[in-house]
Amino acid sequence: MIRRLILAAALALLPAAAGVAQPVTILNASYDPTRELYRAVNTAFAAEWKARTGTSVTINQSHGGSGKQARSVIDGLDADVVTLALSGDIDEIARRGKLVDPGWQARLPYKSTPYWSTIVFLVRKGNPKGIKDWNDLVKPGVKVVMANPKTGGGARWIFLAAWGYGQKTTGSARGARDYVAKLLGRVPVLDSGARGATTTFAERGIGDVLLTWENEAILATRELGADRFEIVVPSISIRAEPPVAVVDKVVDRRGTRAVAEAYLQYLYTPTAQEMIARNGYRPRDPEVAARYAAQFPDIRLFDIDRNFGGWTKAQKIFFSDNGQFDQIYASAPH
Amino acid sequence: MRTGILNVRPSIIPGFGVTFGITLTLLSVIVLIPLSAVFIRAAGLGWQGFVAVALSDRALQAYRLSFGAAAIAALINAVFGLLTAWVLVRYRFPGRRLVSALVDLPFALPTAVAGIALTALYAPNGWIGGVLAPWGIDVAFTPLGVVIALVFVGLPFVVRTVEPVLADLGLDVEEAAASLGATRWQTFARVILPALGPALLTGFALAFARGVGEYGSVIFIAGNMPYRTEIAPLLIVVQLEQHNIAGATAIAVTMLVASFILLLFTNLLQNWQRRRTLA
């Protein structure tokens, strides 16, 4: 932080001499499970930018819960770009902080989501409880681990996927709510974020099934051993699309718009898409997607905009104070 | 030693005006202004909005857990902290300095590290949790886990406040009591404990206050289930996640007021006890 301030001050004092390329530093405020992904992307982009423009660029990363990151940016964290878990969080930056143009989502392909993911199940090797689909999660004796939708972006996707399943099988909002209430009744621990939930399931040995991002599940099997866990893809899940945006106010003040925009556009290139797929996120590029088809099985999907009316609306109905999540806990015996 | 702060007589240390001015300014900048900002932000909700958030059923449950677990943990610390201080002051044994350093560790350790370590230990597959689980005792992800985390972070407060007073007390007092025919228990209950009372209460109050606000170590072991294992500081974080800063400060203000009343009460109790001891 102090180093960035000094750097910013130094840059402000030295008026960029025309034609002389100054080294640039930009900051990407992201959410938790993207550490590994952006470590790879940043190095590759810096090399590419250097080759193209002759300027060196350093991309600093800041990670944390998606909502917390949005709040930091609103409160003045000088992030040039944000890459968060929910479009609702960037909407907040636009609405409350007035730092991002309200039309941000139309500025890049696929509603500014260069990669996507979905919610899958991680079970213990051999799948001892025989968990195949959502209805198996509420069978007697099954314990479910997930993060807290009030504090974790990924957990909100999980909640909505479960709600969508309940809605589809019962045909009513009432039925959806009953299903989700039953499901939440199976959850002994609500961790604050996706990584914490993975730890609770994998390291602490709690529960029979972990509901989590597909990329987190892939990472868990890779890092913690494919001999310990299996990924179960349910019959239907949700299309989880983590969005990216340039923070207009910041890049205009710091004079970093060109590099910040190029950085986000770079995410759509085949090179970056390849890294995205390698890190367990579903790529947008059809050719890359075809190469990784084995890792990403086809799955029927709910859509946040079509099925839930967009994030702002979903946030209000499900996750705000006295929203569906709170109501379920308020009416549960405790 | 009873000297008021404001009814000063000329002191050997000069410059009361200057030092008091600096103290007040510093206190204002570091403590009072941030705290009043919290109150002002909460005031933005209006009375009804404030009550809806700060006194909701769920918030009340969370306060109960936070204050309850902190009180139990502080009590445990008062007992075992006194014992630890006793051992450190009254006995000389190899490794005494090491034990003394260990006591301070919870001060220095990032609380999240403590939380993760305790959770690993007390989870059903952990070293201790694994032993307790067959007996049907769950520690991690229950209120009991919260208490254990708070005992951990609160211990040094009691030890470090009691230790110097105990050292000052001197063995001669005990010897005098013994020579007058007191049993060991009488000596402890009538002589030592009253003398230690104020320090012990201070240690208790500090450990308690720390426990009420503790977040880092508790969040991993608590389980965070609404109405059951959700601590009040988590509710603040939840409100912030919803970008509801006024709501977050409403809960913070409630905790602040409750803590302040409790600390004030402890202070009065301490004064009363000190006067009684001196009388």
Side-chain angles (χ1 to χ4, degrees):
Chain A
M1 184 67 201
I2 288 166
R3 225 178 49 198
R4 278 212 357 267
L5 280 175
I6 293 169
L7 214 108
L11 285 177
L13 286 174
L14 294 169
V20 177
Q22 301 278 341
V24 191
T25 303
I26 60 171
L27 175 66
N28 173 7
S30 194
Y31 63 108
D32 257 332
T34 59
R35 273 165 226 276
E36 295 81 4
L37 169 63
Y38 280 110
R39 198 177 302 144
V41 168
N42 292 350
T43 319
F45 172 74
E48 200 258 10
W49 182 254
K50 176 92 182 170
R52 186 142 58 98
T53 66
T55 319
S56 15
V57 57
T58 309
I59 300 128
N60 289 326
Q61 279 298 137
S62 157
H63 292 278
S66 186
K68 185 198 140 270
Q69 294 295 73
R71 205 164 52 247
S72 300
V73 172
I74 293 169
D75 287 343
L77 175 70
D78 258 350
D80 301 88
V81 300
V82 284
T83 53
L84 299 179
L86 313 165
S87 62
D89 285 326
I90 301 185
D91 284 339
E92 279 297 318
I93 300 174
R95 197 169 67 83
R96 209 169 286 251
K98 311 243 180 297
L99 301 170
V100 175
D101 184 275
W104 65 273
Q105 215 162 5
R107 292 196 297 209
L108 287 165
Y110 301 102
K111 294 182 291 179
S112 290
T113 56
Y115 41 84
W116 63 286
S117 192
T118 185
I119 299 301
V120 297
F121 306 164
L122 194 68
V123 296
R124 304 196 186 278
K125 190 70 189 177
N127 196 357
K129 295 277 165 100
I131 290 157
K132 298 264 184 324
D133 206 355
W134 292 97
N135 56 334
D136 297 321
L137 301 180
V138 296
K139 280 195 307 203
V142 174
K143 272 194 182 168
V144 181
V145 174
M146 64 183 273
N148 188 341
K150 301 283 271 192
T151 53
R156 283 178 222 173
W157 288 113
I158 295 170
F159 184 98
L160 292 182
W163 188 278
Y165 171 81
Q167 175 98 44
K168 188 183 76 96
T169 45
T170 65
S172 74
R174 172 93 234 156
R177 189 187 148 143
D178 287 345
Y179 172 75
V180 175
K182 246 194 281 177
L183 177 65
L184 289 175
R186 298 310 172 97
V187 179
V189 185
L190 285 170
D191 281 282
S192 57
R195 211 30 82 78
T198 308
T199 308
T200 298
F201 177 75
E203 309 283 339
R204 313 265 180 269
I206 303 278
D208 305 297
V209 53
L210 169 74
L211 305 187
T212 191
W213 297 93
E214 183 179 48
N215 55 283
E216 187 71 5
I218 290 173
L219 193 76
T221 49
R222 212 180 276 160
E223 302 272 308
L224 306 169
D227 51 334
R228 291 175 57 203
F229 306 106
E230 278 174 29
I231 295 173
V232 172
V233 179
S235 67
I236 189 161
S237 191
I238 195 161
R239 183 187 289 275
E241 299 176 301
V244 302
V246 165
V247 185
D248 296 289
K249 273 271 168 59
V250 174
V251 294
D252 287 342
R253 178 161 44 78
R254 301 190 61 225
T256 47
R257 179 174 285 280
V259 60
E261 281 178 352
Y263 175 63
L264 292 189
Q265 277 153 13
Y266 180 74
L267 294 171
Y268 291 88
T269 62
T271 329
Q273 290 281 306
E274 185 79 29
M275 292 173 196
I276 281 164
R278 264 205 307 267
N279 278 280
Y281 296 86
R282 296 196 178 212
R284 292 296 191 182
D285 187 304
E287 279 174 39
V288 178
R291 270 203 299 283
Y292 283 85
Q295 184 177 316
F296 302 117
D298 265 339
I299 179 170
R300 286 173 55 216
L301 297 160
F302 299 115
D303 187 275
I304 182 73
D305 293 325
R306 214 174 46 242
N307 298 86
F308 296 97
W311 259 114
T312 304
K313 193 173 163 204
Q315 173 70 31
K316 189 175 281 161
I317 294 174
F318 295 100
F319 308 116
S320 62
D321 273 351
N322 300 319
Q324 290 292 350
F325 179 80
D326 284 354
Q327 285 178 29
I328 286 169
Y329 270 102
S331 58
H334 47 255
Chain B
M1 274 290 283
R2 257 195 297 172
T3 44
I5 296 169
L6 286 168
N7 52 349
V8 276
R9 271 167 299 167
S11 145
I12 42 162
I13 302 167
F16 170 76
V18 179
T19 48
F20 191 63
I22 292 173
T23 305
L24 265 191
T25 314
L26 207 69
L27 263 181
S28 304
V29 172
I30 308 273
V31 181
L32 290 177
I33 293 175
L35 284 188
S36 46
V38 169
F39 278 87
I40 290 164
R41 280 218 137 156
L45 274 175
W47 181 245
Q48 273 192 324
F50 180 88
V51 170
V53 179
L55 301 180
S56 68
D57 201 20
R58 179 155 165 206
L60 292 177
Q61 293 286 349
Y63 302 138
R64 218 179 65 164
L65 177 63
S66 273
F67 284 96
I72 295 169
L75 262 176
I76 294 174
N77 275 329
V79 174
F80 289 95
L82 174 61
L83 199 72
T84 311
W86 182 271
V87 168
L88 286 175
V89 169
R90 287 294 152 93
Y91 303 102
R92 293 291 170 273
F93 53 93
R96 193 179 70 95
R97 275 166 198 282
L98 194 74
V99 173
S100 179
L102 276 177
V103 167
D104 279 335
L105 218 51
F107 274 150
L109 201 68
T111 50
V113 174
I116 290 168
L118 288 173
T119 311
L121 212 53
Y122 285 98
N125 66 353
W127 287 351
I128 301 178
V131 176
L132 296 176
W135 299 82
I137 304 168
D138 286 331
V139 182
F141 318 120
T142 68
L144 186 57
V146 178
V147 171
I148 285 175
L150 296 184
V151 167
F152 179 88
V153 296
L155 180 70
F157 289 94
V158 176
V159 178
R160 291 305 176 222
T161 43
V162 170
E163 221 179 349
V165 183
L166 195 59
D168 268 357
L169 203 54
L171 272 173
D172 48 344
V173 184
E174 283 172 55
E175 279 159 9
S179 69
L180 290 171
T183 62
R184 302 220 86 182
W185 173 249
Q186 277 174 326
T187 310
F188 178 76
R190 300 268 183 86
V191 177
I192 298 167
L193 206 56
L196 288 181
L200 205 54
L201 255 175
T202 306
F204 173 85
L206 288 174
F208 174 75
R210 168 71 190 268
V212 167
E214 180 59 22
Y215 181 77
S217 61
V218 180
I219 209 70
F220 296 96
I221 205 168
N224 310 325
M225 304 298 285
Y227 297 97
R228 283 193 280 139
T229 52
E230 191 172 59
I231 54 166
L234 176 64
L235 271 191
I236 295 178
V237 173
V238 162
Q239 292 293 335
L240 289 176
E241 282 296 324
Q242 289 163 216
H243 304 282
N244 182 5
I245 293 170
T249 49
I251 296 168
V253 160
T254 313
M255 290 185 69
L256 215 64
V257 170
S259 297
F260 187 73
I261 292 170
L262 281 164
L263 288 179
L264 199 68
F265 177 72
T266 325
N267 234 308
L268 292 176
L269 204 68
Q270 219 173 327
N271 271 340
W272 170 77
Q273 201 184 10
R274 197 173 284 144
R275 232 169 290 139
R276 208 191 51 159
T277 321
L278 286 173

